[in-house]
């Protein structure tokens, strides 16, 4: 299933947030969205997942979601959004219960996604007992449980420390290599963007517009930490963004 | 700040001085025995004062006499004759008031029109002393049990509503967004996200509501009650029988301690997830 954004513009009252964004998200690809603070990345992601409506333009779903897909557009949030009163397994079963999946069938799915995110031993733990990286792996497991057509990730690694971030990036690459998924991945971190993105969309400062779409052809599994080719791409992205980021920063101070 | 004000051990040559500790505190723990010790201490003072005579018997009854009265009450079987009806009034009234209060509080927390319509109404009835309405309830619900249930229910209803909708307002919106983003039904979101998220606030509101219920119990038994702790206290009061008055008051206090303990237990069971 592909996603197409068609001329998306949005304002909150007279506060213009983004202008005429058109984008094609192909099945099996990870599209990273980078841009300065406040340029509307999170808002765009809410449009894609149907949590909010743009003032102009439409988001289209092209084709049917795959067989067995419970929730085609599934989010992974920066703050994990786990229910603190439910165990790890309970948090995953939460999103299955409404589809009438309970008992042995639910257990099968939960065991499978916990194994894929290396959390098998922690099914009964409460979120308060987990580290940040583990919480985010639970959130990823929960997203995998509904077998999404497109994963919408809003800075999923930003709340984590640098080492955990590296490890989780490896985990995401592994997951993708084993079973390619489609994702829109919003981040501030250009290293994440060049590591995970097949396409990197650079937005301008507010009102957010597409400045450039950078394609990175190197297969995900061959991208390593400190790869010179990726470093060059990252540098290129930073040059695109630097002035925008500086201007955006100054703007925020002037408010 | 001058150095001399910092209470540190004397400087040891070359090693500098220990950094003064200034963390800690602000994290009260419960030490059960301290609470009991306070009670025992106060009772002992009262006993000593009444025995030696610097507290006259008109000011305060002797605690040992109160205990004696209490024993009599127990052996004569009157205790349970009074306690039974009171407990059932308390339970039925509070269950009605609290469950209605939680439901209305959740509706106020979730729907704008209900909120706009009911919040001013609740604010208007909250400060009414419910005791003043007792005659009205007697007319509406009869002099029997009905008016007593109504008074206690009404008294527990308003604080429960206020605590509940405050608690619903405080539920983490990002969790609700999460529920929506996974396509959970409205009902599932309320039951599995809003309600458990509001539980801490609802339970602490319930502590207050139940204390109010006990206060209102005495008021409810002012009219048309032969048996009941409240009736017993009021009768003793009108006869200036301080021993019996205090015996009754002690029972009410015990009820208060027990309900608060029960809520503490429920909190520990239901809210173990809090970090
Ligand atoms: N509900 C809202 N009402 C009014 N303004 C909003 C609302 N949501 C976002 N905005 C504004 O829209 C702009 C874009 O917000 P958004 O959160 O999408 O930016 P972002 O690119 O995700 O920023 P960041 O990088 O800081 O996460 C911001 O200036 C923000 O203040
Ligand atoms: Mg954002």
């Amino acid at each position: 299933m592909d996603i197409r954004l068609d001329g998306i513009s949005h304002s909150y009252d007279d506060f213009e947030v983004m202008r005429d964004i058109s984008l094609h998200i192909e099945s099996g690809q990870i599209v990273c969205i980078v841009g300065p603070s406040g340029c509307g990345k999170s808002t765009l992601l809410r449009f894609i997942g149907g949590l909010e409506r743009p003032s102009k333009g439409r988001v289209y779903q092209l084709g049917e979601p795959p067989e067995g897909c419970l929730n085609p557009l599934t989010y992974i949030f920066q703050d994990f959004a786990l229910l603190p009163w439910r165990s790890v397994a309970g948090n995953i079963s939460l999103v299955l219960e409404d589809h009438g999946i309970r008992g042995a069938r639910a257990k099968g799915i939960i065991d499978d996604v916990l194994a894929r995110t290396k959390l098998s031993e922690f099914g009964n733990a409460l979120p308060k007992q987990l580290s940040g990286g583990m919480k985010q792996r639970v959130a990823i497991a929960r997203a995998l449980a509904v077998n999404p057509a497109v994963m919408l990730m809003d800075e999923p690694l930003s709340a984590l420390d640098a080492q955990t971030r590296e490890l989780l990036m490896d985990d995401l690459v592994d997951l993708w290599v084993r079973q390619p998924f489609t994702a829109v991945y919003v981040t501030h971190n250009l290293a994440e963007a060049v590591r995970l993105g097949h396409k990197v969309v650079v937005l301008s400062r507010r009102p957010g517009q597409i400045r450039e779409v950078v394609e990175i052809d190197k297969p995900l599994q061959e991208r390593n930490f400190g790869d010179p080719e990726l470093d060059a791409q990252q540098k290129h992205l930073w040059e695109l963004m630097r002035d925008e980021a500086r201007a955006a920063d100054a703007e925020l101070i002037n408010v | 700040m001058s150095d001399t004000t910092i209470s540190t051990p004397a400087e040891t040559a070359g090693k500098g001085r220990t950094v003064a500790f200034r963390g800690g505190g602000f994290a009260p723990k419960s030490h059960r025995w301290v609470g009991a010790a306070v009670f025992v201490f106060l009772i002992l003072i009262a006993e000593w004062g009444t025995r030696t005579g610097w507290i006259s018997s008109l000011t305060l009854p002797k605690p040992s006499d109160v205990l004696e009265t209490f024993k009599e009450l127990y052996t004569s079987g009157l205790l349970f004759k009074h306690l039974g009806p009171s407990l059932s009034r308390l339970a039925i009234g509070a269950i009605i008031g609290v469950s209605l209060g939680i439901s209305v509080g959740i509706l106020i927390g979730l729907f704008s029109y209900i909120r706009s319509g009911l919040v001013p109404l609740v604010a208007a009835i909250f400060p009414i002393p419910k005791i003043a309405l007792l005659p009205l309830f007697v007319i509406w619900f009869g002099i029997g049990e009905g008016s007593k249930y109504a008074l206690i229910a009404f008294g527990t209803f308003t604080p429960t509503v206020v605590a509940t909708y405050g608690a619903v307002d405080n539920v983490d919106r990002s969790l609700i967004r999460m529920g929506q983003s996974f396509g959970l039904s409205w009902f599932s979101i309320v039951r599995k996200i809003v309600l458990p998220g509001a539980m801490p606030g609802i339970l602490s509101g319930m502590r207050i509501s139940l204390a109010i219920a006990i206060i209102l119990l005495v008021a409810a038994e002012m009219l048309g009650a032969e048996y009941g702790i409240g009736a017993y206290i009021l009768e003793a009061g009108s006869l200036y029988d301080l021993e019996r008055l205090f015996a009754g008051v002690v029972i009410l206090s015990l009820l208060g301690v027990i309900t608060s303990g029960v809520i503490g237990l429920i909190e520990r069971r239901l809210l173990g997830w809090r970090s």
Side-chain angles (χ1 to χ4, degrees):
Chain A
M1 188 181 93
D2 290 14
I3 298 278
R4 209 179 79 221
L5 310 186
D6 201 10
I8 305 263
S9 303
H10 190 69
S11 315
Y12 288 108
D13 302 320
D14 338 318
F15 185 78
E16 191 179 10
V17 180
M18 68 186 75
R19 191 185 288 171
D20 196 29
I21 292 189
S22 298
L23 189 65
H24 192 121
I25 296 146
E26 276 167 67
S27 189
Q29 283 203 342
I30 300 180
V31 174
C32 290
I33 299 182
V34 298
S37 220
C39 73
K41 305 181 293 293
S42 302
T43 311
L44 190 64
L45 210 62
R46 287 200 294 276
F47 294 154
I48 299 177
L51 287 182
E52 216 175 299
R53 269 190 289 248
S55 358
K56 244 170 67 192
R58 299 277 294 270
V59 180
Y60 296 99
Q61 225 172 278
L62 308 178
E64 287 304 308
E67 190 78 14
C69 166
L70 301 176
N71 187 47
L73 304 169
T74 297
Y75 283 90
I76 292 174
F77 300 91
Q78 179 176 1
D79 60 359
F80 323 128
L82 300 177
L83 301 185
W85 49 86
R86 284 196 177 218
S87 66
V88 168
N91 265 285
I92 299 170
S93 108
L94 172 81
V95 300
L96 300 174
E97 287 159 15
D98 264 42
H99 297 280
I101 300 177
R102 281 159 212 278
R105 226 177 117 211
K107 191 171 180 309
I109 296 178
I110 294 169
D111 288 347
D112 171 54
V113 294
L114 287 182
R116 276 157 76 189
T117 46
K118 303 176 198 149
L119 286 166
S120 296
E121 292 146 51
F122 301 99
N124 293 321
L126 282 175
K128 71 170 177 185
Q129 298 169 292
L130 305 178
S131 67
M134 281 160 83
K135 281 184 200 160
Q136 195 56 295
R137 294 213 313 264
V138 176
I140 293 171
R142 177 177 63 188
L144 292 174
V146 293
N147 204 1
V150 180
M151 291 224 249
L152 305 171
M153 313 201 217
D154 192 358
E155 310 197 27
L157 309 185
S158 295
L160 307 174
D161 62 86
Q163 290 91 322
T164 313
R165 201 148 46 198
E166 281 301 325
L167 293 173
L168 262 174
M169 268 197 273
D170 287 342
D171 288 347
L172 282 175
V173 169
D174 279 351
L175 277 174
W176 189 88
V177 169
R178 257 181 285 153
Q179 201 188 93
F181 54 85
T182 317
V184 182
Y185 188 106
V186 166
T187 178
H188 267 126
N189 185 317
L190 298 180
E192 283 172 32
V194 296
R195 185 74 184 286
L196 296 172
H198 296 95
K199 243 188 215 174
V200 181
V201 178
V202 183
L203 295 184
S204 68
R205 69 174 188 271
R206 192 174 57 77
Q209 282 169 289
I210 294 184
R211 272 210 59 178
E212 194 170 320
V213 178
V214 177
E215 307 249 356
I216 303 176
D217 296 326
K218 192 165 190 163
L220 284 196
Q221 59 273 34
E222 289 169 24
R223 301 182 189 179
N224 287 316
F225 183 77
D227 186 320
E229 198 178 317
L230 294 185
D231 284 350
Q233 297 273 21
Q234 190 176 334
K235 193 152 171 264
H236 172 64
L237 287 174
W238 174 232
E239 270 151 19
L240 280 173
M241 271 186 67
R242 180 162 48 200
D243 296 335
E244 297 284 346
R246 186 175 293 144
D249 193 39
E251 207 167 79
L252 293 178
I253 293 166
N254 289 338
V255 168
Chain B
M1 193 165 78
S2 76
D3 286 346
T4 49
T5 60
I6 301 174
S7 60
T8 44
E11 205 171 323
T12 34
K15 280 195 188 156
R17 69 178 78 191
T18 326
V19 171
F21 176 67
R22 51 187 174 172
F26 298 99
K29 289 194 195 73
S30 88
H31 296 288
R32 237 163 257 262
W33 55 271
V34 178
V38 170
F39 276 113
V40 170
F41 177 72
L42 289 177
I43 291 169
L44 284 181
I45 291 220
E47 182 73 29
W48 176 65
T50 44
R51 265 172 205 261
T52 54
W54 60 267
I55 302 177
S56 84
S57 61
L58 279 178
T59 320
L60 205 67
K62 219 191 281 176
S64 49
D65 287 350
V66 173
L67 191 69
E68 202 54 44
T69 318
F70 196 81
K71 264 191 209 144
E72 252 168 53
L73 198 59
Y74 178 77
T75 46
S76 66
L78 271 177
L79 177 64
F80 293 103
K81 239 179 179 159
H82 287 299
L83 208 52
S86 284
L87 284 181
S88 79
R89 283 166 195 152
L90 201 59
I92 294 175
I95 287 173
I96 296 173
V98 166
S99 49
L100 275 179
I102 291 178
S103 325
V104 171
I106 287 176
L107 293 178
I108 290 180
L110 294 177
F111 298 103
S112 337
Y113 279 106
I114 297 183
R115 167 175 302 234
S116 322
L118 291 189
V119 168
L121 186 65
V122 170
I125 57 179
F126 203 170
I128 300 175
K130 309 299 178 295
I131 300 170
L133 297 180
L134 183 59
L136 189 67
F137 286 144
V138 169
I139 295 171
W140 285 357
F141 303 104
I143 190 111
E145 297 300 297
S147 59
K148 299 175 179 62
Y149 298 153
L151 184 71
I152 294 173
F154 200 48
T156 49
F157 172 75
T158 31
T160 309
V161 170
V162 172
T164 304
Y165 85 72
V168 171
D169 286 351
N170 275 332
V171 174
D172 189 349
R173 296 293 121 169
S174 68
L175 294 180
I176 295 177
R177 285 292 160 269
M178 181 278 292
Q180 291 176 319
S181 81
F182 277 96
L184 266 59
S185 67
W186 181 88
F187 193 69
S188 287
I189 291 178
V190 172
R191 194 161 64 84
K192 295 171 185 168
I193 300 179
V194 174
L195 209 52
M199 207 36 98
I202 293 176
L203 283 177
S204 63
M206 231 149 93
R207 272 179 200 278
I208 297 170
S209 311
L210 291 184
I212 291 177
I214 295 174
I215 294 172
L216 287 176
L217 177 65
V218 178
E221 290 174 349
M222 275 197 301
L223 284 181
E226 191 186 349
Y227 290 110
I229 303 297
Y232 176 80
I233 291 177
L234 291 165
E235 191 198 307
S238 57
L239 299 172
Y240 282 87
D241 184 343
L242 290 190
E243 277 90 26
R244 287 173 63 198
L245 180 80
F246 267 78
V249 168
V250 167
I251 296 174
L252 289 185
S253 297
L254 282 178
L255 268 182
V257 172
I258 290 169
T259 45
S260 146
V262 168
I263 292 189
L265 272 182
I266 297 176
E267 278 180 341
R268 235 166 297 148
R269 267 198 66 83
L270 287 186
L271 307 181
W273 50 268
R274 285 193 295 189
S275 37

